[in-house]
């Protein structure tokens, strides 16, 4: 219990650490700034850098040697850049952690319908997309963010991510960032191909269940929560799929009656683990560049998100727990002393990949085994825990999701 009191203190102490800000482009070049003390805005200061190349020279970088990195929705954004023709040549490597654009929450198949629902919540009954655009354009940020489209009864929290990228129609004199669904573009091989690290954590769902409440947990049912990127020919087929998933995740004969643990496994697999896994396989089979797949399992002193969402006594690493084992600010927290081996190991592999295109170019005392790219003849991933190991890419639950998506995936 003492360990989690230290972690709780760390969540508060994180506010004291100055957070980095991205450089932004302005008319005169690029600026970097500082976050205001209350976190309300970014104050940009400094000398603009006149060109894209100069910006990287000042920061000691190379514009032709860029690794794009993202976690969660940021990881989905990285994959959006993979498939967008507008991002061609922008980056040479990529790292995607716990997120994919091939997921039920990262693509909107019905953008106009969704916009209408938001307008209805604001008291407007509009069908014309141009009128909807004018409405939202003139609303304040507060109005836009405080208006909520309720989720369907029985659905899960990730279903509320509805304002996300969509497949774009042809608009005269306008480039299309997203000409087709990420799944279609990758399976066709029409995307920006670069080496990639991609993976997930072993207990992703704790965070999402932590965002639920007693009512949504009580109302949850699998039939209503099936991902929106599945399209069934009939309710009978949908019910049969829901029944199979109930056996997999909520087996009544299972002696473990912890509904939160079971629900977190279901939400984590459907929202993060399966989409990441199929993305890794699709990338590996449609390009010649290496795909390094991992699963982060470390249950240690730096699992701050798991604690924040009240799963501190549960095993494993939840969504975004891995970030505290990578970034430099984490070592300012006192308990990082107990985790320096994992922190050094992960930061070294990630840095090696950015520098050399290989996370383990050499066997060392810190990295005692080679991390090989996926081999689709016998696909295995790297397990990152207190020690490193390997295991098969697919397990029975993920295989069932794959069979389901093979039959019912919505592609347009």
């Amino acid at each position: 219990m003492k360990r989690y009191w230290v972690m709780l203190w760390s969540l508060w102490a994180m506010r004291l650490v100055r957070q980095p800000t991205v450089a932004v482009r302005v008319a005169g070049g690029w600026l970097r700034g500082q976050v205001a003390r209350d976190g309300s805005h970014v104050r940009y200061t400094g000398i603009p850098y006149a060109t894209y190349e100069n910006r990287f020279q000042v920061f000691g970088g190379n514009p032709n040697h860029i690794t794009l990195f993202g976690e969660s929705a940021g990881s989905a954004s990285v994959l959006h850049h993979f498939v967008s023709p507008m991002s061609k040549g922008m980056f040479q490597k990529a790292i995607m952690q716990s997120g994919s654009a091939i997921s039920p929450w990262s693509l909107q198949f019905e953008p106009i319908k969704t916009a209408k629902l938001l307008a209805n919540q604001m008291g407007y009954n509009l069908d014309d997309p141009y009128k909807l655009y004018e409405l939202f354009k003139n609303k304040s940020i507060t109005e836009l963010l405080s208006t909520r489209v309720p989720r369907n009864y029985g659905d899960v929290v990730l279903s509320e991510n509805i304002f996300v990228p969509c497949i774009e129609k042809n608009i005269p004199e306008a480039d299309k960032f997203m000409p087709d669904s990420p799944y279609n573009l990758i399976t066709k091989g029409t995307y920006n191909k670069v080496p990639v690290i991609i993976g997930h954590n072993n207990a992703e769902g704790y965070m999402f269940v932590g965002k639920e409440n007693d009512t949504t947990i009580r109302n949850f049912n699998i039939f209503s929560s099936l991902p929106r990127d599945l399209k069934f020919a009939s309710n009978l087929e949908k019910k049969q799929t829901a029944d199979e998933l109930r056996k997999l995740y909520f087996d009544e004969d299972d002696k473990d009656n912890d509904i939160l643990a079971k629900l977190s496994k279901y939400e984590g697999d459907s929202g993060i683990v399966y989409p990441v896994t199929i993305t890794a396989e699709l990338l590996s089979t449609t390009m010649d560049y290496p795909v390094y797949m991992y699963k982060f399992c470390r249950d240690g002193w730096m699992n701050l998100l798991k604690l924040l969402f009240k799963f501190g006594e549960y095993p494993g690493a939840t969504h975004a727990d891995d970030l505290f084992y990578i970034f430099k600010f984490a070592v300012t927290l006192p308990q990082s002393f107990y985790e320096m081996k994992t922190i050094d190991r992960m930061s070294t592999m990630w840095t090696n990949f950015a520098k050399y295109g290989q996370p383990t170019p050499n066997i060392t005392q810190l990295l005692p085994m080679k991390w090989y790219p996926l081999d689709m003849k016998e696909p295995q991933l790297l397990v990152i825990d207190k020690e490193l190991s390997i295991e098969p890419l697919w397990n029975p639950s993920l295989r069932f999701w794959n069979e389901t998506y093979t039959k019912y995936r919505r592609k347009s």
Side-chain angles (χ1 to χ4, degrees), residues 307-363:
L307 176 68
L308 180 64
F309 288 95
K310 301 178 181 179
F311 281 86
E313 299 299 329
Y314 285 68
T318 195
H319 192 63
D321 268 342
D322 51 327
L323 290 178
F324 300 97
Y325 290 84
I326 296 175
F327 288 109
K328 184 178 179 181
F329 78 87
V331 301
T332 65
L333 304 178
Q335 72 271 28
S336 65
F337 172 80
Y338 299 101
E339 298 294 339
M340 286 312 299
K341 182 178 180 180
T342 303
I343 291 171
D344 288 344
R345 178 171 280 162
M346 287 197 72
S347 60
T348 299
M349 289 191 293
W350 266 229
T351 303
N352 282 345
F353 177 74
K355 286 182 176 180
Y356 313 117
Q358 300 180 54
T360 54
N362 300 300
I363 299 297

Side-chain angles (χ1 to χ4, degrees), residues 214-316:
D214 291 343
T215 300
T216 59
I217 292 174
R218 184 170 59 251
N219 293 340
F220 165 78
N221 69 82
I222 294 179
F223 184 90
S224 299
S225 71
L226 285 171
R228 65 173 180 250
D229 58 349
L230 290 173
K231 190 173 183 178
F232 297 89
S234 67
N235 277 340
L236 176 60
E237 289 180 77
K238 186 175 182 179
K239 182 180 181 302
Q240 290 172 340
T241 301
D243 289 343
E244 289 299 319
L245 287 168
R246 188 176 297 108
K247 293 176 185 176
L248 273 173
Y249 290 94
F250 301 93
D251 185 358
E252 294 178 357
D253 295 330
D254 188 349
K255 295 179 181 179
D256 181 6
N257 292 318
D258 190 336
I259 186 63
L260 294 182
K262 293 180 178 181
L263 183 57
S264 70
K265 177 66 174 170
Y266 173 80
E267 291 201 38
D269 280 2
S270 60
I272 302 293
V273 179
Y274 171 70
V276 167
T277 303
I278 190 60
T279 298
E281 180 171 283
L282 289 173
L283 291 174
S284 184
T285 54
T286 56
M287 69 175 181
D288 294 328
Y289 290 103
V291 176
Y292 296 94
M293 178 76 180
Y294 73 89
K295 179 169 74 171
F296 181 77
C297 304
R298 182 69 180 123
D299 178 10
W301 287 79
M302 302 298 288
N303 296 59
L304 302 185
L305 270 297
K306 186 170 71 170
L307 176 68
L308 180 64
F309 288 95
K310 301 178 181 179
F311 281 86
E313 299 299 329
Y314 285 68

Side-chain angles (χ1 to χ4, degrees), residues 9 27 35 101 120 147 154 162 164-166 185 188 209 219 222 231 262 273 281 284 289 297 303 346 363 369 384 400:
W9 175 87
V35 178
N120 287 340
T147 305
I162 55 179
V164 290
C166 64
L185 292 168
K188 292 175 185 176
V209 173
N219 293 340
I222 294 179
K231 190 173 183 178
K262 293 180 178 181
V273 179
E281 180 171 283
S284 184
Y289 290 103
C297 304
N303 296 59
M346 287 197 72
I363 299 297
M369 62 180 291
I384 303 174
F400 182 80

Side-chain angles (χ1 to χ4, degrees), residues 85-292:
M86 294 178 66
S87 300
K88 185 176 181 180
M90 189 180 81
F91 56 98
Q92 289 71 47
K93 292 182 285 293
I95 298 174
M96 295 187 284
Q97 299 182 205
S98 297
S100 170
I102 305 178
S103 64
W105 49 266
S106 59
L107 187 71
Q108 179 53 259
F109 289 102
E110 300 174 327
I112 303 300
K113 176 183 175 181
T114 306
K116 287 167 61 177
L117 290 173
L118 182 65
N120 287 340
Q121 292 296 315
M122 293 179 171
Y124 300 88
N125 186 16
L126 299 174
D127 291 315
D128 188 321
Y130 293 97
K131 291 182 178 178
L132 287 165
Y133 171 73
E134 288 297 322
L135 170 67
F136 298 139
K137 186 176 72 172
N138 292 299
K139 290 291 183 181
S140 69
I141 293 176
T142 301
E143 288 178 291
L144 289 170
L145 295 179
S146 62
T147 305
R148 179 173 168 270
V149 177
R151 73 170 91 164
N152 292 329
Y153 181 91
D155 213 339
V156 295
V157 68
L158 272 173
S159 70
E160 296 182 10
N161 287 17
I162 55 179
F163 298 106
V164 290
C166 64
I167 302 168
E168 298 168 58
K169 294 183 178 180
N170 289 319
I171 301 174
E173 299 181 2
D175 294 324
K176 288 197 292 186
F177 181 81
M178 191 61 57
D180 201 349
S181 73
Y183 177 85
N184 288 342
L185 292 168
I186 290 176
T187 54
K188 292 175 185 176
T190 53
Y191 63 96
N192 305 305
K193 300 173 182 178
V194 299
V196 61
I197 284 178
I198 182 171
H200 59 81
N201 297 349
N202 70 327
E204 294 278 0
Y206 295 156
M207 171 188 274
F208 306 117
V209 173
K211 292 183 177 181
E212 305 283 4
N213 56 51
D214 291 343
T215 300
T216 59
I217 292 174
R218 184 170 59 251
N219 293 340
F220 165 78
N221 69 82
I222 294 179
F223 184 90
S224 299
S225 71
L226 285 171
R228 65 173 180 250
D229 58 349
L230 290 173
K231 190 173 183 178
F232 297 89
S234 67
N235 277 340
L236 176 60
E237 289 180 77
K238 186 175 182 179
K239 182 180 181 302
Q240 290 172 340
T241 301
D243 289 343
E244 289 299 319
L245 287 168
R246 188 176 297 108
K247 293 176 185 176
L248 273 173
Y249 290 94
F250 301 93
D251 185 358
E252 294 178 357
D253 295 330
D254 188 349
K255 295 179 181 179
D256 181 6
N257 292 318
D258 190 336
I259 186 63
L260 294 182
K262 293 180 178 181
L263 183 57
S264 70
K265 177 66 174 170
Y266 173 80
E267 291 201 38
D269 280 2
S270 60
I272 302 293
V273 179
Y274 171 70
V276 167
T277 303
I278 190 60
T279 298
E281 180 171 283
L282 289 173
L283 291 174
S284 184
T285 54
T286 56
M287 69 175 181
D288 294 328
Y289 290 103
V291 176
Y292 296 94

